Amino acid sequence: MAFSTQVEQAETPARLLPLIALGIGAFGIGLTEFIIMGLLPQVAGDLGVGLPSAGLLITGYALGVTIGGPVLAIAASRLPHRAVLVLVMAIFTAGNLLCALAPGFGLVLAARVITGFAHGTFFGTGSVVAQAIVPPHRKASAIATVFTGLTLATVLGLPFGTWLGQIFGWRATFWAVAGIGAVALAAIALFVPQTDAGTPLKLRQLALFLRPAPRRALTMTALGYAGVFMVFTYITPLLTEVAGVPERHVALYLLLFGLGIVGGNVAGGRFADRWPGASVPVVLAGLAAGLFVLRVALALPVLAAPAMLLLGMLAFATLAPLQNHMMARSPAGADTLGATLNISAFNLGNAIGAWLGGLALTTGFVLSSLPPLAALLPLAALALAFLPERT
């Protein structure tokens, strides 16, 4: 591919600048995806809805990613990569502006769905661009580099955004995220190399992903991340009501979670580069173990902080291995669609996890039961990983 050849011959700064631009976009997208967890009680109170109903703002965003990502990727497949990335960042910025301005719950939910449309296509196209920039043996690490923006959103953006929303109101956070989206749009337009038009995709190509290998990879991704979000959707009430953490200290625990995410993301990328076959079952088993550990730690407040750090590491160590695993099993000529579909699977898992968490709470389970229930989902994904490989 011409783009790959040109970029591989470029000097290191020319390789880094596109990754930095993509990282800024990933930072903004990660912030708008995760910030709602830290502000869920405030949003629910201001909009006059219950906590399980407010959780639909997470589910709606995830469904926007799941459905909108592949549709947008196919619709924009004739465009150069840079044009696609600029388009999705414009959608992202507009969606966050609508969140900040919306007067009621229904419009905020609609804005979250619209914003989600940008997510899958951004990370799908961004993963392809990142892999084209680096040598073949660094492909998983390149994906992890793009996702570094996502991890920094949890380390820096999530606690700051939570604090900003608590002090100035949750709408102020969405104004700030819209500003980050505008900066990312400009950086991508300036630094991501111009490319030829992409390979045209057709809706019927989605049928290729119903084959056993890609279908299993997508299912593993969705199940693994359903476990993460069954807990993380309700992380603020878990900390305050179960572990007894004062509300003013929640941002500090989210900071620890974010620090764990950074380390886990980098480690997951390197692990997948070195042991691509073993990395997926190992990270899924680790995630399930981390969720069980969290349940014990919530009952012992002294362990809550290190457990949040550990859970962040284990949750995001799965990103690069699962994305790399899926892209390796995508049909020929459909790697961008495969990468986008896997991001959709991540977010389908988010939607399923948020929904299952709300369902558990409304059917009589207590908050403290969520982590062990959630651990069953990555264990199910782990079971799939040991099935015989079929193409």
Side-chain angles (χ1 to χ4, degrees):
M1 161 175 186
F3 174 48
S4 175
T5 303
Q6 292 168 1
V7 177
E8 285 175 5
Q9 294 172 348
E11 298 297 326
T12 299
R15 292 181 179 180
L16 287 177
L17 286 174
L19 292 177
I20 292 171
L22 292 171
I24 296 171
F27 178 81
I29 287 176
L31 187 54
T32 204
E33 179 177 21
F34 295 127
I35 194 59
I36 198 71
M37 288 79 166
L39 297 174
L40 202 62
Q42 290 86 347
V43 174
D46 184 55
L47 296 178
V49 298
L51 201 60
S53 295
L56 292 175
L57 296 175
I58 299 162
T59 303
Y61 181 91
L63 290 176
V65 179
T66 303
I67 299 169
V71 171
L72 189 57
I74 291 170
S77 62
R78 295 179 182 274
L79 298 175
H81 289 118
R82 185 172 71 184
V84 174
L85 292 168
V86 168
L87 172 64
V88 297
M89 287 312 302
I91 294 171
F92 167 83
T93 303
N96 279 286
L97 285 173
L98 185 55
C99 280
L101 294 168
F105 178 77
L107 196 52
V108 173
L109 180 59
R112 290 284 292 172
V113 173
I114 291 170
T115 308
F117 270 54
H119 185 123
T121 304
F122 177 87
F123 280 110
T125 304
S127 294
V128 172
V129 171
Q131 287 197 339
I133 288 171
V134 301
H137 66 282
R138 298 287 295 168
K139 286 187 174 184
S141 292
I143 293 172
T145 301
V146 174
F147 279 106
T148 296
L150 189 64
T151 64
L152 289 177
T154 60
V155 176
L156 304 175
L158 184 51
F160 175 75
T162 301
W163 172 84
L164 183 69
Q166 290 172 343
I167 300 299
F168 297 103
W170 61 271
R171 294 179 189 274
T173 300
F174 283 99
W175 280 109
V177 176
I180 294 169
V183 172
L185 192 157
I188 289 167
L190 286 172
F191 299 124
V192 171
Q194 184 63 277
T195 67
D196 297 330
T199 303
L201 298 172
K202 298 185 183 301
L203 196 60
R204 64 174 179 268
Q205 286 181 276
L206 289 172
L208 298 175
F209 291 88
L210 295 176
R211 294 174 178 173
R215 185 179 66 221
R216 185 178 71 162
L218 292 169
T219 303
M220 289 164 58
T221 296
L223 285 172
Y225 254 67
V228 174
F229 270 76
M230 188 171 177
V231 167
F232 198 54
T233 298
Y234 301 96
I235 197 63
T236 296
L238 276 167
L239 288 171
T240 56
E241 298 179 28
V242 179
V245 174
E247 185 174 336
R248 65 183 181 277
H249 292 162
V250 168
L252 296 176
Y253 283 78
L254 294 177
L255 176 61
L256 286 172
F257 182 84
L259 289 171
I261 280 175
V262 172
N265 177 58
V266 174
R270 292 179 178 176
F271 188 42
D273 278 330
R274 189 164 183 179
W275 294 288
S279 61
V280 170
V282 168
V283 296
L284 289 172
L287 175 57
L291 288 166
F292 281 118
V293 168
L294 180 65
R295 172 60 186 93
V296 176
L298 289 173
L300 301 168
V302 70
L303 297 179
M308 287 292 288
L309 181 70
L310 177 65
L311 182 62
M313 292 179 64
L314 295 171
F316 271 65
T318 62
L319 279 176
L322 287 170
Q323 183 78 334
N324 197 53
H325 180 79
M326 177 61 209
M327 292 178 72
R329 285 154 181 79
S330 295
D335 52 349
T336 300
L337 184 56
T340 302
L341 282 170
N342 203 50
I343 298 299
S344 294
F346 274 117
N347 285 272
L348 178 60
N350 298 356
I352 292 170
W355 175 75
L356 285 175
L359 180 64
L361 294 178
T362 55
T363 54
F365 286 93
V366 295
L367 277 166
S368 60
S369 67
L370 292 182
L373 288 173
L376 300 176
L377 296 167
L379 285 177
L382 179 61
L384 289 178
F386 286 106
L387 292 178
E389 184 82 59
R390 293 165 55 205
T391 58

